[in-house]
Amino acid sequence: MKLQDKVAIVTGSASGIGKAIVMGMAREGAAVVVDYVGNNDAANQVVSQIRSAAGKAQAIEADISDPAQVNNLVQQTLETMGRIDIFVNNAGLEYKHPFTEYPFDLWQEIIAVDLTGPFLCAQAAAKAMIQQGDGGRILNISSVHEDLPMPTNAPYCAAKGGLRMLMRTIAVELAPHKITVNNIAPGAIFTPIDADVEANAAIEKQLMGEIPLGRWGKPEEVAALAIFLASDAAAYCTGSTFFIDGGMMRQSGSL
Ligand code: BGC
């Protein structure tokens, strides 16, 4: 097993990519914390699924945009699981509106969850890891849109671009402590965040046309990359973004 005896916190892991990551990490021997907001039932279901397969899991509710709740997430994990080896900043949201009509309150909400949240979480996790003294792994689930513009999604793209430079900067600062920091940048993965596209055949076809491999990615495929980056095998990877996008970043746009 690749993550035997490690303790991992994954934000927003009651569904989507986060759920696949906690399930996968638990299968590899990690004790996992399922962070969620509001959807208590979904989080408890993930925990029961892991426990029924003899894995270790616990659900903790924490809104990552609130410093007190982030602190509580980390403290409660330390109390119940003893340590933190892996922190995955996965929680995120997006709302699509044309730029000139973009509501300011939604801009603030997206920046709070998609950028301020990972800042607060990485800071709290790094402090715990430094105190433990034997390194650690911080992973951010960013997006191809940390680099690729997406019309109608300005705050999301701004937050993900910010997450790229947050990752690069803290990777350098935390390297002396053997804490590695990397981004995973998924393309179109079949999860609830894309419910609007999944429900519209014409838009879905257009999106698939932008992906050289011509299909949605699976949450489990992202989880496999997260498991590698969280494992001892990835000790020399830090400060990088790992794209997992079916070639989306390489499509030329020409006919
Ligand atoms: C977004 C999706 C989008 C995908 C590919 C993701 O980051 O959440 O809405 O389909 O990138 O463009």
Side-chain angles (χ1 to χ4, degrees):
M1 291 209 269
K2 296 182 184 126
L3 303 176
Q4 191 69 54
D5 299 329
K6 306 274 189 204
V7 175
I9 302 178
V10 183
T11 64
S13 49
S15 70
I17 291 174
K19 177 178 173 182
I21 292 175
V22 280
M23 307 279 296
M25 287 191 170
R27 261 196 307 275
E28 291 294 341
V32 297
V33 171
V34 177
D35 157 78
Y36 69 99
V37 175
N39 44 359
N40 205 310
D41 285 351
N44 287 336
Q45 254 179 37
V46 174
V47 167
S48 333
Q49 255 176 287
I50 292 172
R51 287 186 182 158
S52 64
K56 290 195 194 112
Q58 184 194 349
I60 299 178
E61 180 161 24
D63 174 347
I64 55 162
S65 64
D66 175 357
Q69 293 187 46
V70 169
N71 203 33
N72 181 55
L73 172 66
V74 166
Q75 287 315 314
Q76 236 183 288
T77 302
L78 290 173
E79 275 159 33
T80 56
M81 293 186 164
R83 51 184 292 116
I84 300 170
D85 302 285
I86 300 159
F87 198 106
V88 185
N89 278 310
N90 166 78
L93 45 87
E94 66 181 322
Y95 304 113
K96 294 171 191 157
H97 295 284
F99 173 60
T100 51
E101 284 146 40
Y102 213 100
F104 180 57
D105 58 334
L106 295 188
W107 160 272
Q108 285 182 306
E109 186 185 344
I110 291 174
I111 297 298
V113 174
D114 294 4
L115 185 56
T116 305
F119 164 80
L120 294 170
C121 289
Q123 191 180 52
K127 282 186 193 167
M129 289 168 183
I130 289 170
Q131 203 163 4
Q132 287 164 191
D134 47 9
R137 297 275 186 273
I138 297 173
L139 284 177
N140 302 316
I141 308 303
S142 67
S143 166
V144 285
H145 301 298
E146 70 162 59
D147 197 43
L148 188 69
M150 186 177 192
T152 74
N153 221 354
Y156 183 77
C157 294
K160 297 298 185 179
L163 195 49
R164 177 176 57 186
M165 285 310 294
L166 175 69
M167 173 277 290
R168 290 182 183 179
T169 306
I170 68 177
V172 176
E173 279 193 60
L174 297 175
H177 301 285
K178 296 192 173 55
I179 299 169
T180 66
V181 191
N182 292 288
N183 280 12
I184 291 178
I189 309 299
F190 198 83
T191 72
I193 207 171
D194 265 335
D196 54 337
V197 179
E198 289 151 20
N200 184 326
I203 297 187
E204 186 180 41
K205 195 166 168 227
Q206 205 181 331
L207 176 63
M208 292 305 122
E210 296 194 12
I211 302 168
L213 285 179
R215 67 165 174 89
W216 292 96
K218 299 178 199 150
E220 294 71 27
E221 292 174 307
V222 180
L225 179 54
I227 289 165
F228 166 70
L229 288 171
S231 75
D232 291 344
Y236 204 54
C237 299
T238 199
S240 284
T241 291
F242 295 79
F243 287 91
I244 173 160
D245 66 350
M248 196 177 197
M249 292 296 289
R250 296 294 164 265
Q251 54 98 12
S252 68
S254 58
L255 293 173

mmCIF file with all atom_site columns, all heavy atoms in Angstrom, residues 29-57:
data_model
loop_
_atom_site.group_PDB
_atom_site.id
_atom_site.type_symbol
_atom_site.label_atom_id
_atom_site.label_alt_id
_atom_site.label_comp_id
_atom_site.label_asym_id
_atom_site.label_entity_id
_atom_site.label_seq_id
_atom_site.pdbx_PDB_ins_code
_atom_site.Cartn_x
_atom_site.Cartn_y
_atom_site.Cartn_z
_atom_site.occupancy
_atom_site.B_iso_or_equiv
_atom_site.pdbx_formal_charge
_atom_site.auth_seq_id
_atom_site.auth_comp_id
_atom_site.auth_asym_id
_atom_site.auth_atom_id
_atom_site.pdbx_PDB_model_num
ATOM 1   N N   . GLY A 1 29 ? -4.291  2.739  2.408  1.00 0.00 ? 29 GLY A N   1
ATOM 2   C CA  . GLY A 1 29 ? -3.846  2.620  3.793  1.00 0.00 ? 29 GLY A CA  1
ATOM 3   C C   . GLY A 1 29 ? -3.863  3.895  4.608  1.00 0.00 ? 29 GLY A C   1
ATOM 4   O O   . GLY A 1 29 ? -3.494  3.892  5.789  1.00 0.00 ? 29 GLY A O   1
ATOM 5   N N   . ALA A 1 30 ? -4.278  5.020  4.009  1.00 0.00 ? 30 ALA A N   1
ATOM 6   C CA  . ALA A 1 30 ? -4.312  6.276  4.776  1.00 0.00 ? 30 ALA A CA  1
ATOM 7   C C   . ALA A 1 30 ? -5.580  6.352  5.622  1.00 0.00 ? 30 ALA A C   1
ATOM 8   O O   . ALA A 1 30 ? -6.628  5.842  5.232  1.00 0.00 ? 30 ALA A O   1
ATOM 9   C CB  . ALA A 1 30 ? -4.269  7.466  3.820  1.00 0.00 ? 30 ALA A CB  1
ATOM 10  N N   . ALA A 1 31 ? -5.468  7.019  6.779  1.00 0.00 ? 31 ALA A N   1
ATOM 11  C CA  . ALA A 1 31 ? -6.658  7.404  7.550  1.00 0.00 ? 31 ALA A CA  1
ATOM 12  C C   . ALA A 1 31 ? -7.082  8.748  6.990  1.00 0.00 ? 31 ALA A C   1
ATOM 13  O O   . ALA A 1 31 ? -6.250  9.649  6.865  1.00 0.00 ? 31 ALA A O   1
ATOM 14  C CB  . ALA A 1 31 ? -6.308  7.526  9.024  1.00 0.00 ? 31 ALA A CB  1
ATOM 15  N N   . VAL A 1 32 ? -8.351  8.888  6.607  1.00 0.00 ? 32 VAL A N   1
ATOM 16  C CA  . VAL A 1 32 ? -8.755  10.099 5.894  1.00 0.00 ? 32 VAL A CA  1
ATOM 17  C C   . VAL A 1 32 ? -9.816  10.905 6.647  1.00 0.00 ? 32 VAL A C   1
ATOM 18  O O   . VAL A 1 32 ? -10.680 10.350 7.318  1.00 0.00 ? 32 VAL A O   1
ATOM 19  C CB  . VAL A 1 32 ? -9.282  9.778  4.470  1.00 0.00 ? 32 VAL A CB  1
ATOM 20  C CG1 . VAL A 1 32 ? -8.180  9.155  3.629  1.00 0.00 ? 32 VAL A CG1 1
ATOM 21  C CG2 . VAL A 1 32 ? -10.508 8.881  4.503  1.00 0.00 ? 32 VAL A CG2 1
ATOM 22  N N   . VAL A 1 33 ? -9.721  12.228 6.494  1.00 0.00 ? 33 VAL A N   1
ATOM 23  C CA  . VAL A 1 33 ? -10.744 13.132 7.019  1.00 0.00 ? 33 VAL A CA  1
ATOM 24  C C   . VAL A 1 33 ? -11.536 13.674 5.839  1.00 0.00 ? 33 VAL A C   1
ATOM 25  O O   . VAL A 1 33 ? -10.974 14.257 4.908  1.00 0.00 ? 33 VAL A O   1
ATOM 26  C CB  . VAL A 1 33 ? -10.107 14.285 7.823  1.00 0.00 ? 33 VAL A CB  1
ATOM 27  C CG1 . VAL A 1 33 ? -11.161 15.333 8.179  1.00 0.00 ? 33 VAL A CG1 1
ATOM 28  C CG2 . VAL A 1 33 ? -9.455  13.737 9.081  1.00 0.00 ? 33 VAL A CG2 1
ATOM 29  N N   . VAL A 1 34 ? -12.850 13.438 5.898  1.00 0.00 ? 34 VAL A N   1
ATOM 30  C CA  . VAL A 1 34 ? -13.763 13.914 4.854  1.00 0.00 ? 34 VAL A CA  1
ATOM 31  C C   . VAL A 1 34 ? -14.303 15.265 5.307  1.00 0.00 ? 34 VAL A C   1
ATOM 32  O O   . VAL A 1 34 ? -15.171 15.349 6.168  1.00 0.00 ? 34 VAL A O   1
ATOM 33  C CB  . VAL A 1 34 ? -14.926 12.908 4.668  1.00 0.00 ? 34 VAL A CB  1
ATOM 34  C CG1 . VAL A 1 34 ? -15.931 13.416 3.633  1.00 0.00 ? 34 VAL A CG1 1
ATOM 35  C CG2 . VAL A 1 34 ? -14.389 11.535 4.286  1.00 0.00 ? 34 VAL A CG2 1
ATOM 36  N N   . ASP A 1 35 ? -13.752 16.346 4.738  1.00 0.00 ? 35 ASP A N   1
ATOM 37  C CA  . ASP A 1 35 ? -14.261 17.683 5.055  1.00 0.00 ? 35 ASP A CA  1
ATOM 38  C C   . ASP A 1 35 ? -15.460 17.977 4.153  1.00 0.00 ? 35 ASP A C   1
ATOM 39  O O   . ASP A 1 35 ? -15.453 17.614 2.972  1.00 0.00 ? 35 ASP A O   1
ATOM 40  C CB  . ASP A 1 35 ? -13.158 18.726 4.832  1.00 0.00 ? 35 ASP A CB  1
ATOM 41  C CG  . ASP A 1 35 ? -13.744 20.115 4.600  1.00 0.00 ? 35 ASP A CG  1
ATOM 42  O OD1 . ASP A 1 35 ? -14.148 20.745 5.591  1.00 0.00 ? 35 ASP A OD1 1
ATOM 43  O OD2 . ASP A 1 35 ? -13.839 20.540 3.434  1.00 0.00 ? 35 ASP A OD2 1
ATOM 44  N N   . TYR A 1 36 ? -16.471 18.627 4.719  1.00 0.00 ? 36 TYR A N   1
ATOM 45  C CA  . TYR A 1 36 ? -17.669 18.934 3.931  1.00 0.00 ? 36 TYR A CA  1
ATOM 46  C C   . TYR A 1 36 ? -18.330 20.180 4.504  1.00 0.00 ? 36 TYR A C   1
ATOM 47  O O   . TYR A 1 36 ? -18.010 20.611 5.615  1.00 0.00 ? 36 TYR A O   1
ATOM 48  C CB  . TYR A 1 36 ? -18.652 17.745 3.974  1.00 0.00 ? 36 TYR A CB  1
ATOM 49  C CG  . TYR A 1 36 ? -19.272 17.549 5.339  1.00 0.00 ? 36 TYR A CG  1
ATOM 50  C CD1 . TYR A 1 36 ? -20.549 18.029 5.634  1.00 0.00 ? 36 TYR A CD1 1
ATOM 51  C CD2 . TYR A 1 36 ? -18.555 16.927 6.359  1.00 0.00 ? 36 TYR A CD2 1
ATOM 52  C CE1 . TYR A 1 36 ? -21.108 17.886 6.900  1.00 0.00 ? 36 TYR A CE1 1
ATOM 53  C CE2 . TYR A 1 36 ? -19.101 16.789 7.627  1.00 0.00 ? 36 TYR A CE2 1
ATOM 54  C CZ  . TYR A 1 36 ? -20.367 17.265 7.886  1.00 0.00 ? 36 TYR A CZ  1
ATOM 55  O OH  . TYR A 1 36 ? -20.908 17.145 9.151  1.00 0.00 ? 36 TYR A OH  1
ATOM 56  N N   . VAL A 1 37 ? -19.258 20.744 3.736  1.00 0.00 ? 37 VAL A N   1
ATOM 57  C CA  . VAL A 1 37 ? -20.093 21.837 4.239  1.00 0.00 ? 37 VAL A CA  1
ATOM 58  C C   . VAL A 1 37 ? -21.536 21.520 3.889  1.00 0.00 ? 37 VAL A C   1
ATOM 59  O O   . VAL A 1 37 ? -21.871 21.352 2.717  1.00 0.00 ? 37 VAL A O   1
ATOM 60  C CB  . VAL A 1 37 ? -19.706 23.199 3.620  1.00 0.00 ? 37 VAL A CB  1
ATOM 61  C CG1 . VAL A 1 37 ? -20.678 24.295 4.066  1.00 0.00 ? 37 VAL A CG1 1
ATOM 62  C CG2 . VAL A 1 37 ? -18.295 23.594 4.004  1.00 0.00 ? 37 VAL A CG2 1
ATOM 63  N N   . GLY A 1 38 ? -22.380 21.374 4.901  1.00 0.00 ? 38 GLY A N   1
ATOM 64  C CA  . GLY A 1 38 ? -23.813 21.195 4.678  1.00 0.00 ? 38 GLY A CA  1
ATOM 65  C C   . GLY A 1 38 ? -24.273 19.781 4.377  1.00 0.00 ? 38 GLY A C   1
ATOM 66  O O   . GLY A 1 38 ? -25.176 19.297 5.032  1.00 0.00 ? 38 GLY A O   1
ATOM 67  N N   . ASN A 1 39 ? -23.635 19.109 3.422  1.00 0.00 ? 39 ASN A N   1
ATOM 68  C CA  . ASN A 1 39 ? -24.163 17.808 2.988  1.00 0.00 ? 39 ASN A CA  1
ATOM 69  C C   . ASN A 1 39 ? -23.692 16.649 3.881  1.00 0.00 ? 39 ASN A C   1
ATOM 70  O O   . ASN A 1 39 ? -22.967 15.739 3.449  1.00 0.00 ? 39 ASN A O   1
ATOM 71  C CB  . ASN A 1 39 ? -23.836 17.516 1.511  1.00 0.00 ? 39 ASN A CB  1
ATOM 72  C CG  . ASN A 1 39 ? -22.404 17.865 1.163  1.00 0.00 ? 39 ASN A CG  1
ATOM 73  O OD1 . ASN A 1 39 ? -21.667 18.338 2.021  1.00 0.00 ? 39 ASN A OD1 1
ATOM 74  N ND2 . ASN A 1 39 ? -22.001 17.610 -0.059 1.00 0.00 ? 39 ASN A ND2 1
ATOM 75  N N   . ASN A 1 40 ? -24.174 16.746 5.131  1.00 0.00 ? 40 ASN A N   1
ATOM 76  C CA  . ASN A 1 40 ? -23.902 15.768 6.163  1.00 0.00 ? 40 ASN A CA  1
ATOM 77  C C   . ASN A 1 40 ? -24.091 14.310 5.740  1.00 0.00 ? 40 ASN A C   1
ATOM 78  O O   . ASN A 1 40 ? -23.222 13.452 5.977  1.00 0.00 ? 40 ASN A O   1
ATOM 79  C CB  . ASN A 1 40 ? -24.909 16.115 7.273  1.00 0.00 ? 40 ASN A CB  1
ATOM 80  C CG  . ASN A 1 40 ? -24.446 15.665 8.590  1.00 0.00 ? 40 ASN A CG  1
ATOM 81  O OD1 . ASN A 1 40 ? -24.060 14.508 8.712  1.00 0.00 ? 40 ASN A OD1 1
ATOM 82  N ND2 . ASN A 1 40 ? -24.448 16.551 9.563  1.00 0.00 ? 40 ASN A ND2 1
ATOM 83  N N   . ASP A 1 41 ? -25.233 14.032 5.073  1.00 0.00 ? 41 ASP A N   1
ATOM 84  C CA  . ASP A 1 41 ? -25.556 12.658 4.692  1.00 0.00 ? 41 ASP A CA  1
ATOM 85  C C   . ASP A 1 41 ? -24.537 12.105 3.718  1.00 0.00 ? 41 ASP A C   1
ATOM 86  O O   . ASP A 1 41 ? -24.070 10.970 3.854  1.00 0.00 ? 41 ASP A O   1
ATOM 87  C CB  . ASP A 1 41 ? -26.939 12.596 4.006  1.00 0.00 ? 41 ASP A CB  1
ATOM 88  C CG  . ASP A 1 41 ? -28.043 12.749 5.030  1.00 0.00 ? 41 ASP A CG  1
ATOM 89  O OD1 . ASP A 1 41 ? -27.736 12.720 6.240  1.00 0.00 ? 41 ASP A OD1 1
ATOM 90  O OD2 . ASP A 1 41 ? -29.211 12.904 4.606  1.00 0.00 ? 41 ASP A OD2 1
ATOM 91  N N   . ALA A 1 42 ? -24.191 12.921 2.721  1.00 0.00 ? 42 ALA A N   1
ATOM 92  C CA  . ALA A 1 42 ? -23.225 12.468 1.711  1.00 0.00 ? 42 ALA A CA  1
ATOM 93  C C   . ALA A 1 42 ? -21.877 12.179 2.370  1.00 0.00 ? 42 ALA A C   1
ATOM 94  O O   . ALA A 1 42 ? -21.234 11.158 2.086  1.00 0.00 ? 42 ALA A O   1
ATOM 95  C CB  . ALA A 1 42 ? -23.076 13.528 0.626  1.00 0.00 ? 42 ALA A CB  1
ATOM 96  N N   . ALA A 1 43 ? -21.448 13.057 3.283  1.00 0.00 ? 43 ALA A N   1
ATOM 97  C CA  . ALA A 1 43 ? -20.153 12.862 3.949  1.00 0.00 ? 43 ALA A CA  1
ATOM 98  C C   . ALA A 1 43 ? -20.176 11.589 4.792  1.00 0.00 ? 43 ALA A C   1
ATOM 99  O O   . ALA A 1 43 ? -19.235 10.780 4.765  1.00 0.00 ? 43 ALA A O   1
ATOM 100 C CB  . ALA A 1 43 ? -19.828 14.073 4.821  1.00 0.00 ? 43 ALA A CB  1
ATOM 101 N N   . ASN A 1 44 ? -21.295 11.382 5.531  1.00 0.00 ? 44 ASN A N   1
ATOM 102 C CA  . ASN A 1 44 ? -21.384 10.178 6.363  1.00 0.00 ? 44 ASN A CA  1
ATOM 103 C C   . ASN A 1 44 ? -21.399 8.914  5.521  1.00 0.00 ? 44 ASN A C   1
ATOM 104 O O   . ASN A 1 44 ? -20.868 7.875  5.924  1.00 0.00 ? 44 ASN A O   1
ATOM 105 C CB  . ASN A 1 44 ? -22.624 10.234 7.259  1.00 0.00 ? 44 ASN A CB  1
ATOM 106 C CG  . ASN A 1 44 ? -22.419 11.236 8.382  1.00 0.00 ? 44 ASN A CG  1
ATOM 107 O OD1 . ASN A 1 44 ? -21.283 11.535 8.765  1.00 0.00 ? 44 ASN A OD1 1
ATOM 108 N ND2 . ASN A 1 44 ? -23.508 11.782 8.891  1.00 0.00 ? 44 ASN A ND2 1
ATOM 109 N N   . GLN A 1 45 ? -22.000 9.009  4.339  1.00 0.00 ? 45 GLN A N   1
ATOM 110 C CA  . GLN A 1 45 ? -22.017 7.843  3.444  1.00 0.00 ? 45 GLN A CA  1
ATOM 111 C C   . GLN A 1 45 ? -20.619 7.482  2.963  1.00 0.00 ? 45 GLN A C   1
ATOM 112 O O   . GLN A 1 45 ? -20.263 6.309  2.892  1.00 0.00 ? 45 GLN A O   1
ATOM 113 C CB  . GLN A 1 45 ? -22.873 8.164  2.227  1.00 0.00 ? 45 GLN A CB  1
ATOM 114 C CG  . GLN A 1 45 ? -24.217 7.467  2.258  1.00 0.00 ? 45 GLN A CG  1
ATOM 115 C CD  . GLN A 1 45 ? -25.039 7.837  1.045  1.00 0.00 ? 45 GLN A CD  1
ATOM 116 O OE1 . GLN A 1 45 ? -24.506 8.001  -0.052 1.00 0.00 ? 45 GLN A OE1 1
ATOM 117 N NE2 . GLN A 1 45 ? -26.335 7.980  1.248  1.00 0.00 ? 45 GLN A NE2 1
ATOM 118 N N   . VAL A 1 46 ? -19.835 8.500  2.643  1.00 0.00 ? 46 VAL A N   1
ATOM 119 C CA  . VAL A 1 46 ? -18.450 8.243  2.206  1.00 0.00 ? 46 VAL A CA  1
ATOM 120 C C   . VAL A 1 46 ? -17.680 7.564  3.348  1.00 0.00 ? 46 VAL A C   1
ATOM 121 O O   . VAL A 1 46 ? -16.974 6.573  3.148  1.00 0.00 ? 46 VAL A O   1
ATOM 122 C CB  . VAL A 1 46 ? -17.747 9.558  1.772  1.00 0.00 ? 46 VAL A CB  1
ATOM 123 C CG1 . VAL A 1 46 ? -16.278 9.321  1.463  1.00 0.00 ? 46 VAL A CG1 1
ATOM 124 C CG2 . VAL A 1 46 ? -18.445 10.172 0.561  1.00 0.00 ? 46 VAL A CG2 1
ATOM 125 N N   . VAL A 1 47 ? -17.868 8.094  4.575  1.00 0.00 ? 47 VAL A N   1
ATOM 126 C CA  . VAL A 1 47 ? -17.184 7.517  5.738  1.00 0.00 ? 47 VAL A CA  1
ATOM 127 C C   . VAL A 1 47 ? -17.609 6.056  5.938  1.00 0.00 ? 47 VAL A C   1
ATOM 128 O O   . VAL A 1 47 ? -16.758 5.170  6.126  1.00 0.00 ? 47 VAL A O   1
ATOM 129 C CB  . VAL A 1 47 ? -17.475 8.361  7.012  1.00 0.00 ? 47 VAL A CB  1
ATOM 130 C CG1 . VAL A 1 47 ? -17.043 7.623  8.270  1.00 0.00 ? 47 VAL A CG1 1
ATOM 131 C CG2 . VAL A 1 47 ? -16.775 9.713  6.906  1.00 0.00 ? 47 VAL A CG2 1
ATOM 132 N N   . SER A 1 48 ? -18.923 5.763  5.843  1.00 0.00 ? 48 SER A N   1
ATOM 133 C CA  . SER A 1 48 ? -19.359 4.364  6.050  1.00 0.00 ? 48 SER A CA  1
ATOM 134 C C   . SER A 1 48 ? -18.806 3.453  4.959  1.00 0.00 ? 48 SER A C   1
ATOM 135 O O   . SER A 1 48 ? -18.415 2.320  5.239  1.00 0.00 ? 48 SER A O   1
ATOM 136 C CB  . SER A 1 48 ? -20.865 4.172  6.047  1.00 0.00 ? 48 SER A CB  1
ATOM 137 O OG  . SER A 1 48 ? -21.518 5.281  6.435  1.00 0.00 ? 48 SER A OG  1
ATOM 138 N N   . GLN A 1 49 ? -18.780 3.958  3.720  1.00 0.00 ? 49 GLN A N   1
ATOM 139 C CA  . GLN A 1 49 ? -18.245 3.121  2.631  1.00 0.00 ? 49 GLN A CA  1
ATOM 140 C C   . GLN A 1 49 ? -16.788 2.749  2.901  1.00 0.00 ? 49 GLN A C   1
ATOM 141 O O   . GLN A 1 49 ? -16.381 1.617  2.697  1.00 0.00 ? 49 GLN A O   1
ATOM 142 C CB  . GLN A 1 49 ? -18.305 3.909  1.309  1.00 0.00 ? 49 GLN A CB  1
ATOM 143 C CG  . GLN A 1 49 ? -19.404 3.457  0.367  1.00 0.00 ? 49 GLN A CG  1
ATOM 144 C CD  . GLN A 1 49 ? -19.450 4.360  -0.868 1.00 0.00 ? 49 GLN A CD  1
ATOM 145 O OE1 . GLN A 1 49 ? -19.897 5.503  -0.778 1.00 0.00 ? 49 GLN A OE1 1
ATOM 146 N NE2 . GLN A 1 49 ? -18.955 3.869  -1.980 1.00 0.00 ? 49 GLN A NE2 1
ATOM 147 N N   . ILE A 1 50 ? -16.022 3.730  3.383  1.00 0.00 ? 50 ILE A N   1
ATOM 148 C CA  . ILE A 1 50 ? -14.599 3.466  3.652  1.00 0.00 ? 50 ILE A CA  1
ATOM 149 C C   . ILE A 1 50 ? -14.456 2.494  4.825  1.00 0.00 ? 50 ILE A C   1
ATOM 150 O O   . ILE A 1 50 ? -13.702 1.534  4.767  1.00 0.00 ? 50 ILE A O   1
ATOM 151 C CB  . ILE A 1 50 ? -13.848 4.789  3.937  1.00 0.00 ? 50 ILE A CB  1
ATOM 152 C CG1 . ILE A 1 50 ? -13.784 5.621  2.647  1.00 0.00 ? 50 ILE A CG1 1
ATOM 153 C CG2 . ILE A 1 50 ? -12.448 4.520  4.477  1.00 0.00 ? 50 ILE A CG2 1
ATOM 154 C CD1 . ILE A 1 50 ? -13.240 7.023  2.816  1.00 0.00 ? 50 ILE A CD1 1
ATOM 155 N N   . ARG A 1 51 ? -15.268 2.737  5.878  1.00 0.00 ? 51 ARG A N   1
ATOM 156 C CA  . ARG A 1 51 ? -15.160 1.870  7.063  1.00 0.00 ? 51 ARG A CA  1
ATOM 157 C C   . ARG A 1 51 ? -15.592 0.441  6.749  1.00 0.00 ? 51 ARG A C   1
ATOM 158 O O   . ARG A 1 51 ? -15.027 -0.513 7.268  1.00 0.00 ? 51 ARG A O   1
ATOM 159 C CB  . ARG A 1 51 ? -16.001 2.428  8.205  1.00 0.00 ? 51 ARG A CB  1
ATOM 160 C CG  . ARG A 1 51 ? -15.364 3.676  8.810  1.00 0.00 ? 51 ARG A CG  1
ATOM 161 C CD  . ARG A 1 51 ? -16.130 4.121  10.036 1.00 0.00 ? 51 ARG A CD  1
ATOM 162 N NE  . ARG A 1 51 ? -15.556 5.341  10.591 1.00 0.00 ? 51 ARG A NE  1
ATOM 163 C CZ  . ARG A 1 51 ? -16.219 6.184  11.372 1.00 0.00 ? 51 ARG A CZ  1
ATOM 164 N NH1 . ARG A 1 51 ? -17.469 5.938  11.697 1.00 0.00 ? 51 ARG A NH1 1
ATOM 165 N NH2 . ARG A 1 51 ? -15.621 7.267  11.839 1.00 0.00 ? 51 ARG A NH2 1
ATOM 166 N N   . SER A 1 52 ? -16.602 0.298  5.858  1.00 0.00 ? 52 SER A N   1
ATOM 167 C CA  . SER A 1 52 ? -17.061 -1.067 5.569  1.00 0.00 ? 52 SER A CA  1
ATOM 168 C C   . SER A 1 52 ? -16.023 -1.827 4.743  1.00 0.00 ? 52 SER A C   1
ATOM 169 O O   . SER A 1 52 ? -16.071 -3.045 4.646  1.00 0.00 ? 52 SER A O   1
ATOM 170 C CB  . SER A 1 52 ? -18.431 -1.062 4.887  1.00 0.00 ? 52 SER A CB  1
ATOM 171 O OG  . SER A 1 52 ? -18.321 -0.434 3.649  1.00 0.00 ? 52 SER A OG  1
ATOM 172 N N   . ALA A 1 53 ? -15.068 -1.106 4.179  1.00 0.00 ? 53 ALA A N   1
ATOM 173 C CA  . ALA A 1 53 ? -13.966 -1.786 3.480  1.00 0.00 ? 53 ALA A CA  1
ATOM 174 C C   . ALA A 1 53 ? -12.725 -1.829 4.382  1.00 0.00 ? 53 ALA A C   1
ATOM 175 O O   . ALA A 1 53 ? -11.590 -1.915 3.912  1.00 0.00 ? 53 ALA A O   1
ATOM 176 C CB  . ALA A 1 53 ? -13.650 -1.062 2.180  1.00 0.00 ? 53 ALA A CB  1
ATOM 177 N N   . ALA A 1 54 ? -12.962 -1.719 5.701  1.00 0.00 ? 54 ALA A N   1
ATOM 178 C CA  . ALA A 1 54 ? -11.901 -1.800 6.714  1.00 0.00 ? 54 ALA A CA  1
ATOM 179 C C   . ALA A 1 54 ? -10.934 -0.620 6.686  1.00 0.00 ? 54 ALA A C   1
ATOM 180 O O   . ALA A 1 54 ? -9.823  -0.695 7.207  1.00 0.00 ? 54 ALA A O   1
ATOM 181 C CB  . ALA A 1 54 ? -11.144 -3.123 6.624  1.00 0.00 ? 54 ALA A CB  1
ATOM 182 N N   . GLY A 1 55 ? -11.361 0.496  6.103  1.00 0.00 ? 55 GLY A N   1
ATOM 183 C CA  . GLY A 1 55 ? -10.511 1.695  6.093  1.00 0.00 ? 55 GLY A CA  1
ATOM 184 C C   . GLY A 1 55 ? -10.816 2.599  7.272  1.00 0.00 ? 55 GLY A C   1
ATOM 185 O O   . GLY A 1 55 ? -11.786 2.376  7.999  1.00 0.00 ? 55 GLY A O   1
ATOM 186 N N   . LYS A 1 56 ? -9.960  3.603  7.454  1.00 0.00 ? 56 LYS A N   1
ATOM 187 C CA  . LYS A 1 56 ? -10.170 4.556  8.564  1.00 0.00 ? 56 LYS A CA  1
ATOM 188 C C   . LYS A 1 56 ? -10.618 5.895  7.990  1.00 0.00 ? 56 LYS A C   1
ATOM 189 O O   . LYS A 1 56 ? -9.939  6.471  7.128  1.00 0.00 ? 56 LYS A O   1
ATOM 190 C CB  . LYS A 1 56 ? -8.864  4.774  9.320  1.00 0.00 ? 56 LYS A CB  1
ATOM 191 C CG  . LYS A 1 56 ? -8.424  3.574  10.112 1.00 0.00 ? 56 LYS A CG  1
ATOM 192 C CD  . LYS A 1 56 ? -7.331  3.980  11.112 1.00 0.00 ? 56 LYS A CD  1
ATOM 193 C CE  . LYS A 1 56 ? -6.648  2.737  11.650 1.00 0.00 ? 56 LYS A CE  1
ATOM 194 N NZ  . LYS A 1 56 ? -5.268  2.603  11.229 1.00 0.00 ? 56 LYS A NZ  1
ATOM 195 N N   . ALA A 1 57 ? -11.756 6.411  8.504  1.00 0.00 ? 57 ALA A N   1
ATOM 196 C CA  . ALA A 1 57 ? -12.262 7.690  7.993  1.00 0.00 ? 57 ALA A CA  1
ATOM 197 C C   . ALA A 1 57 ? -13.092 8.383  9.049  1.00 0.00 ? 57 ALA A C   1
ATOM 198 O O   . ALA A 1 57 ? -13.674 7.741  9.939  1.00 0.00 ? 57 ALA A O   1
ATOM 199 C CB  . ALA A 1 57 ? -13.111 7.456  6.751  1.00 0.00 ? 57 ALA A CB  1
#
